[in-house]
Amino acid sequence: MKFGINPIRKLTGAELSVRILQIAAILPAVYMFMVSGYHSLVTRQNLFSVLFNVGICTLPKLETLGLSALYRLALSEVALCFTALGFALVFGLVAKPLLRGDHKRAVISRIVFAVLVFADLIIRLLPLKMNTVFGIVPEVIGFMIRLGCLVMIILDLVADKREQKKEAEA
Amino acid sequence: MRETKFSVNAVVLIAIIFSAISFFFTIRLTRISDPTAINDFHPIEGTDRLAVRYSTMDPNGIYQGDQVTGVLKLKGTYGFDWGAAVEGNYIYINEYANSELGIMTSNLVRVDMTTFEKKIVARDTILRGRCASGELVCLRGYLMPSSFPDTNSLAKLYSITSEHLVADGESALVTFIDPVSGEIVYSVRDSNALSDDFESRYLSSTLEEVKK
């Protein structure tokens, strides 16, 4: 892994952040799949419910809110699962060309991405119901992961700035 | 970390395909092969031969008439178990809804007995009966115990966008509704709302006694 913009054959911080978000969307799907097979899993806390909680708490809060609203409207876990996974897939496909390729576009994309993650972190600090339902531990883990994502995106931009400076000096 | 050809996008795509196949087997096929046959018919007291029907052969709903020749008046899964209250030309009754994996929710609805139009009086609410002074006694912000709301992560996700829902399986808002106007007249948060003495604490008392 290397921080910066467009390093050849290396994963950047922003790209890793996108992948973390995609993996977070897969975790709730695993729980839903397990519950559909073994309904008694809902009667107690288990590894899959912990993964669900961490996955949901890592997703952007506005997405969580949207998923909850969809769940209330459709009363369908299947719709919920496919929406979360579909969103993760579309996000991954859209983010890939934005974060790599044209340098200016990649820098702007990273700045926009960083602002969105920062806004999400601020929302997480508000005393709202959606920030407390899953308990303190998953929420703190989700916050730390998102904070890590923000730091990685900023490190990308900082590394790029240094590289540009070096090139200008040379 | 080297960039590989097998990306996370591919993993997500595989997860979507795998989920589609697995949900088909675990949800659709299980329902098709479910051998349980139900045909329950529960008359609602104080009405002109109206009854709630649960059936695997006919649509669930409110029927008028007897069990054999009854006519469907309003489709839906309605509850008679914790009381359907009749007031003038209206029936106050619980309307249940199931999610695909088994979360059960309830809304308190008011049904006009002439036009059979339905109006939701309160969401995520269960009608438990009437108190001694005649008000409807309901539990607001409540998920059915069969949903295991305190351990079920899906129930927690469901509760996020609800104003009153508390997914701890214990506390609820005990609400008194005036049956004539359909307005909430008194609410009290009770951490032991689901205990066995609910009847003696709320249903056997008048509203004034509860307020004390």
Side-chain angles (χ1 to χ4, degrees):
Chain A
M1 184 187 161
K2 192 181 178 187
F3 292 111
I5 311 279
N6 290 340
I8 299 159
R9 294 181 66 78
K10 295 275 185 185
L11 197 64
T12 64
E15 285 167 334
L16 187 60
S17 301
V18 171
R19 288 173 188 211
I20 287 170
L21 217 64
Q22 287 181 293
I23 292 164
I26 295 174
L27 297 181
V30 174
Y31 176 74
M32 284 181 243
F33 166 61
M34 292 306 294
V35 169
S36 70
Y38 305 97
H39 193 256
S40 60
L41 281 177
V42 300
T43 60
R44 59 188 184 277
Q45 287 281 347
N46 53 67
L47 176 67
F48 299 108
S49 65
V50 170
L51 289 177
F52 180 98
N53 294 353
V54 171
I56 285 287
C57 291
T58 306
L59 291 176
K61 281 294 169 188
L62 291 180
E63 187 186 342
T64 310
L65 209 60
L67 288 174
S68 178
L70 173 76
Y71 193 17
R72 282 181 71 80
L73 280 174
L75 274 174
S76 164
E77 287 83 3
V78 177
L80 194 69
C81 178
F82 287 127
T83 306
L85 289 175
F87 184 75
L89 184 62
V90 170
F91 181 60
L93 291 172
V94 170
K96 202 174 179 183
L98 286 177
L99 297 175
R100 226 169 240 272
D102 178 50
H103 183 266
K104 195 179 173 188
R105 191 178 60 196
V107 171
I108 292 169
S109 302
R110 276 174 173 77
I111 292 169
V112 171
F113 197 15
V115 168
L116 290 175
V117 176
F118 182 70
D120 181 54
L121 288 174
I122 298 293
I123 291 171
R124 282 162 191 268
L125 295 174
L126 301 174
L128 299 171
K129 187 178 180 182
M130 65 176 169
N131 294 330
T132 54
V133 166
F134 290 99
I136 291 293
V137 177
E139 289 294 348
V140 169
I141 292 170
F143 186 88
M144 296 311 287
I145 291 172
R146 295 292 281 167
L147 188 63
C149 290
L150 180 63
V151 170
M152 284 194 291
I153 298 163
I154 291 169
L155 283 176
D156 266 359
L157 294 166
V158 171
D160 180 59
K161 204 107 196 176
R162 271 190 201 148
E163 217 162 89
Q164 298 256 312
K165 210 174 178 182
K166 256 188 207 171
E167 275 175 20
E169 281 172 3
Chain B
M1 197 185 297
R2 282 189 159 242
E3 197 177 31
T4 57
K5 282 184 179 173
F6 195 73
S7 66
V8 180
N9 287 338
V11 175
V12 175
L13 192 62
I14 289 167
I16 290 172
I17 296 166
F18 186 68
S19 301
I21 296 166
S22 64
F23 283 137
F24 174 73
F25 280 104
T26 53
I27 296 176
R28 299 278 169 244
L29 279 190
T30 317
R31 278 193 193 159
I32 291 166
S33 59
D34 187 4
T36 318
I38 303 167
N39 192 19
D40 288 342
F41 197 78
H42 302 277
I44 304 170
E45 283 177 28
T47 61
D48 180 21
R49 298 193 305 137
L50 291 177
V52 173
R53 171 173 254 172
Y54 301 106
S55 175
T56 42
M57 285 79 86
D58 299 311
N60 291 343
I62 295 176
Y63 281 72
Q64 192 162 37
D66 58 38
Q67 190 158 7
V68 182
T69 59
V71 179
L72 178 65
K73 291 289 183 183
L74 187 63
K75 211 172 167 182
T77 307
Y78 298 96
F80 64 95
D81 45 357
W82 275 344
V86 177
E87 182 70 36
N89 198 37
Y90 296 110
I91 314 170
Y92 288 89
I93 196 164
N94 294 321
E95 185 185 24
Y96 297 124
N98 264 79
S99 75
E100 281 165 327
L101 294 185
I103 285 184
M104 187 178 265
T105 63
S106 170
N107 294 328
L108 174 63
V109 295
R110 189 172 74 175
V111 179
D112 189 312
M113 283 194 277
T114 314
T115 59
F116 287 94
E117 279 177 6
K118 177 181 75 180
K119 184 192 169 198
I120 295 176
V121 177
R123 292 189 183 276
D124 303 314
T125 301
I126 287 185
L127 173 66
R128 286 292 309 264
R130 300 178 89 139
C131 69
S133 50
E135 285 82 7
L136 307 174
V137 184
C138 305
L139 289 172
R140 271 191 115 182
Y142 172 78
L143 264 171
M144 303 291 278
S146 58
S147 303
F148 296 93
D150 50 343
T151 54
N152 187 346
S153 293
L154 287 165
K156 288 175 185 171
L157 180 65
Y158 180 89
S159 73
I160 287 177
T161 38
S162 169
E163 193 184 349
H164 298 284
L165 206 60
V166 184
D168 65 356
E170 290 171 6
S171 62
L173 201 61
V174 181
T175 303
F176 290 77
I177 295 174
D178 179 11
V180 179
S181 63
E183 299 289 317
I184 294 169
V185 288
Y186 182 66
S187 289
V188 58
R189 172 77 60 189
D190 189 344
S191 57
N192 297 310
L194 308 184
S195 59
D196 293 336
D197 61 347
F198 185 88
E199 197 167 329
S200 62
R201 284 192 295 144
Y202 295 106
L203 301 184
S204 305
S205 314
T206 63
L207 179 57
E208 291 309 313
E209 285 169 344
V210 172
K211 279 181 180 176
K212 284 174 192 168

